[in-house]
Amino acid sequence: MIAPFLIAYLVVFAYPVYKMFALSFTDAPLIGEGQWVGFGNYVKLFGQKLFYTSVWNTGYFVVLTVIPNTLIGLGLALMVVRLKGWLQSLILVLFFIPYILPVSVVTQIWQWVLDQQFGIAQHIIEFFTGKRVSVFRDPVWAMPMVALVTVWWTNGFNLLLFIAGLRNIPQDYYEAAMLDGATRLQCFRRITWPLIWPVTALVLTLQLILQLKIFDQVYLMTEGGPFNSTYVLLQLVYREAFRLNHGGVGSAVAVMLFLIIVVVSVLQYQLLRVRER
Amino acid sequence: MPGKTIGNALLLVLTFCIACMWAFPIYWAVVTSIKPEQEVVMKTTFIPEVFNFSAYYFALFQTNLATWYLNSIVTSITVTVVVIVISVMCAYALSQIVFPGRKLLYGIILASFMVPSQALVVSQFVLMHRLGLINTWGGIILPQLIVPVVVIVYKQFFDSVPKELREAAKLDGCGEFQILFKLYLPLNWGITTALAIITYIMAWNAFLWPFLVTSSENMMTVTVGITQISDAFGVKYARDMAVAILAAMPVAVAYLLFQKRVTQALMLSSGIKG
């Protein structure tokens, strides 16, 4: 009974994991055999400016998305959870629907909304900066805009988790606190925040791992430009392996990404557990 | 307390306004798609002056959209069915059958959470090339079949089924397959629908892998194909929005029909029992 899953697992998962490490020590092209080069690919990577740029940009993107996305999710959940009945369902749908859209649809919609000439969001940008900005062609604006679109796209899921968490808090706690004359702010600090912390920790962890794997939005909106200001690690994998035909180097970048994700998630797990105590 | 009522009403209005702003880009895309191309660039109208469906006509009949739809439907439905069947079998075995290495296998499946599938694209591509599956449905489908979280969710549900049920069925002479498909699966039917819908949505929305494994326009899925349209025909907003809306339609409909199931599946797979 486990055979079908196990076979599929070994063929399309376990073997590629092994192969990713094996390839990273060779100078293989994308298709075909290569020579063993030891740590050559890694040495090459560490001498390459684009590698550091990609690491930096991936980190920058994580900073721009993870905490804002978590806070906005919590804020919206606190508002939505007070509503009742069909109104709550309706509003939840409005917030959640971006999350189920395919990434290419999301990027097409936002490219239109932010279009330099006719985009409707340019009215807002013009109000603040006094001029229209071609946001995806401007090195300062590009990454924050990709982050903004990502938050819009993925926030529904966080909102959902927070609402589930808030619903699990017994109402009597608030009633008791209100009787004692607690203000809303006190209620939040003493009751909601400590009890919602496990969900917050979960959202932070999921977000962090998810956003480190950024590729689709960047590729579709900016292709890593302008001037590599949005170049990220997975894009480097794509470039080395599929554009430049360096399967070995591409795998080495993939291994680095893999290690970063493992280290970061273990670290964060420890950190959040400490704070829980 | 009148102050409290006013406060609540204000909060309600505020929440509603934010929600409308949040959903506005989608509304804007829909509105744009039913305007004539000139109106789109001439002025900002929130309700179209003329309803014009030529963008949809173009998207449906003058692009490869129909082929991409076929590819997406075939691949995402196959992925959904196969993922559910192989995962449910594996989970049943892990939960109910004692065999050597069971704990180890479960541990390995749990550990695969740590591996980002995106990091595997290079070696998966090499493998698919060896198997001659580049630009085929098989090539799109295969790497999407391993979804460890489905196995884990099922196992947790099977663990909570009372043991007596299985023993009674065994005494009646049922084989393991019969017990699974006639007893355990119907008992967990709600979960199966939830996981199937979410798997279908994820498969339909998959971008990176189908994008890498298909280079011929005839093999692309909808999500990959639509990115080719503006490249091929230049930018035309009403048309691009019509294409985007058609691409999102199958998941949007699935979501609106099965809202509760979608949210239930997401919460289960993230570890919160909803």
Side-chain angles (χ1 to χ4, degrees), chain A residues 16-17 19-21 23-24 41-42 45 51 212-213 233-238 240-242 246-262, chain B residues 114-124:
Chain A
V17 172
K19 203 68 188 156
M20 170 179 77
F21 284 100
L23 273 175
S24 75
N41 291 329
Y42 294 95
L45 269 187
F51 175 69
L212 280 170
K213 296 187 281 197
L233 275 168
L234 260 176
Q235 200 167 2
L236 196 59
V237 176
Y238 173 67
E240 288 291 348
F242 294 91
H246 296 157
V249 186
S251 301
V253 184
V255 169
M256 294 306 298
L257 177 65
F258 169 76
L259 292 179
I260 290 174
I261 288 178
V262 170
Chain B
M114 297 286 265
V115 182
S117 58
Q118 287 90 337
L120 299 180
V121 289
V122 179
S123 41
Q124 281 175 337

Side-chain angles (χ1 to χ4, degrees), chain B residues 19-259:
Chain B
C20 288
M21 269 165 55
W22 199 270
F24 179 76
I26 296 174
Y27 170 78
W28 192 236
V30 175
V31 169
T32 304
S33 72
I34 49 178
K35 285 178 187 172
E37 211 62 68
Q38 302 94 304
E39 193 185 328
V40 171
V41 293
M42 293 290 280
K43 52 194 160 191
T44 309
T45 45
F46 289 94
I47 296 163
E49 287 170 352
V50 211
F51 286 84
N52 176 305
F53 292 93
S54 58
Y56 285 92
Y57 181 83
F58 175 89
L60 282 172
F61 300 109
Q62 275 163 292
T63 66
N64 278 335
L65 198 66
T67 320
W68 299 332
Y69 253 102
L70 178 71
N71 295 335
S72 276
I73 290 169
V74 170
T75 53
S76 43
I77 289 182
T78 314
V79 167
T80 309
V81 172
V82 179
V83 163
I84 296 293
V85 171
I86 66 175
S87 307
V88 83
M89 281 162 57
C90 181
Y92 177 80
L94 284 173
S95 160
Q96 303 294 332
I97 304 173
V98 182
F99 60 90
R102 176 167 90 147
K103 285 241 169 70
L104 178 73
L105 183 63
Y106 186 59
I108 292 173
I109 294 175
L110 271 178
S112 359
F113 267 136
M114 297 286 265
V115 182
S117 58
Q118 287 90 337
L120 299 180
V121 289
V122 179
S123 41
Q124 281 175 337
F125 186 88
V126 175
L127 180 69
M128 291 303 129
H129 182 83
R130 287 248 177 91
L131 298 173
L133 291 174
I134 302 296
N135 271 319
T136 65
W137 285 343
I140 301 175
I141 293 166
L142 269 178
Q144 296 191 58
L145 294 182
I146 296 302
V147 190
V149 70
V150 176
V151 178
I152 290 158
V153 170
Y154 265 127
K155 182 187 178 292
Q156 279 166 356
F157 273 82
F158 290 162
D159 281 348
S160 64
V161 177
K163 292 266 179 271
E164 295 79 25
L165 222 63
R166 196 172 108 92
E167 278 152 23
K170 280 214 140 167
L171 284 178
D172 288 345
C174 289
E176 299 289 3
F177 277 94
Q178 267 179 316
I179 300 179
L180 168 58
F181 288 105
K182 295 231 168 100
L183 200 64
Y184 276 65
L185 205 54
L187 273 178
N188 293 288
W189 205 238
I191 272 311
T192 303
T193 7
L195 291 175
I197 292 158
I198 199 80
T199 313
Y200 161 79
I201 293 180
M202 295 305 159
W204 184 279
N205 287 353
F207 178 79
L208 178 61
W209 177 251
F211 163 74
L212 292 175
V213 83
T214 56
S215 52
S216 122
E217 285 225 359
N218 290 324
M219 286 314 299
M220 286 175 182
T221 59
V222 171
T223 15
V224 179
I226 64 164
T227 62
Q228 307 292 310
I229 287 190
S230 359
D231 292 352
F233 299 94
V235 181
K236 273 203 174 146
Y237 301 103
R239 192 201 57 209
D240 286 359
M241 288 306 109
V243 167
I245 285 156
L246 288 171
M249 205 56 93
V251 280
V253 170
Y255 167 66
L256 291 173
L257 285 178
F258 299 103
Q259 261 181 67

